[in-house]
Structures are given as C-alpha cells and as structure tokens.
C-alpha cells in the first residue's frame, strides 16, 4: 500500500474562550472543513480497534515513535458515509489512509465476522483482515465529540477544535 503524504500533528489544549478569540482569524485565512454544517461544526464518532492488552493505547500513552491504530469513523452520525481508517505515526509525522465502507462491511468489522468478498478488494481492509487475526484486534473504545475544523490547502495545514 502506498503511504500517503505525512503531516505534522501538534496538539494544544484551549479553553472555549480562547478558541472564540482565535476563530475569526482562522476564518479569515482558512476554509471550513468539508464536513462542516451551517454552524461551522460537526460531530465525530470513532470506534477504535485494539488487542486484549490495549497495545495501541499504551503505545500512544508511552509515546512510541512508530505505531499505528485502526478505527471506524462517521461524521454527524451519517451511516451512509462510514470510513475505515489506519492512522500511523512515524517519528514526528502522521499518515492516514482511509476507505469508505458499506454498513455491511462495518457490521462485519464490529462483530469480528469475515468481511464481504468485495471489501477485500480494498488494500487497507485486506491488510487489516490479516492484522486483525494475528493481533486479535477487536472494537475497544468509542469516542464521540464535536469538532470545528479549518484547512489551508497550499500548506497542508489543518486546525481543529474539539469539544464535548
């Protein structure tokens, strides 16, 4: 699988009042994220896969430089737009691969059943099928939050503010 272009991810904690002060400046130079609704935000629902020993979680907490995680993701609870994603960290760069999947494929991933044959045509899903059986990956953690996001295409810059 061809590795996508890497991006630096820097994370900071902001109070809501700090974001409200920054928002007009961001809107002046950046575009709203494609998932944004009329109010500029959207909800994110993610289901993370991990093994029985929480390998992916502990690698993240311990700052392991080379790691990866897999998740199902929906925006605004839209079951017509379900993504399966692999997010990898290689030193200071993050890489993300994603595949849009059907509800049938989603249900198979969540239940641990075999994926439909057509889903295995996707390199990301086929690779995860092998990893899932070798590492005993199962759905472990559900995360839901609200996001406001801005993008600046020429510099591959993305600014997100997550809340709730």
């Amino acid at each position: 699988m061809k590795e996508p272009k890497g991006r630096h991810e820097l994370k900071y904690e902001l109070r809501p009042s700090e974001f409200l002060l920054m928002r007009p400046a961001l809107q002046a130079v950046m575009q709203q994220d494609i998932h944004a609704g009329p109010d500029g935000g959207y909800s994110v629902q993610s289901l993370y896969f991990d093994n029985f020993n929480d390998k992916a979680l502990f690698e993240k907490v311990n700052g392991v430089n080379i790691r990866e995680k897999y998740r199902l993701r929906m925006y605004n609870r839209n079951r017509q737009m379900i993504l399966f994603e692999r997010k990898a960290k290689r030193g200071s760069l993050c890489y993300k691969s994603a595949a849009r999947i059907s509800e049938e494929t989603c249900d198979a991933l969540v239940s641990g059943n075999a994926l439909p044959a057509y889903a295995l045509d996707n390199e990301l899903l086929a690779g995860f099928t092998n990893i899932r059986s070798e590492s005993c990956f199962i759905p472990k953690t559900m995360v839901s939050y609200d996001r406001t996001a801005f993008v600046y295409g020429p510099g591959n810059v993305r600014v997100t503010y997550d809340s709730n």
Side-chain angles (χ1 to χ4, degrees), residues 34-48:
I34 60 168
H35 301 289
D39 66 349
Y42 53 93
S43 66
V44 178
Q45 298 78 39
S46 297
L47 176 62
Y48 289 88

Side-chain angles (χ1 to χ4, degrees), residues 12 34 92:
Y12 304 94
I34 60 168
S92 66

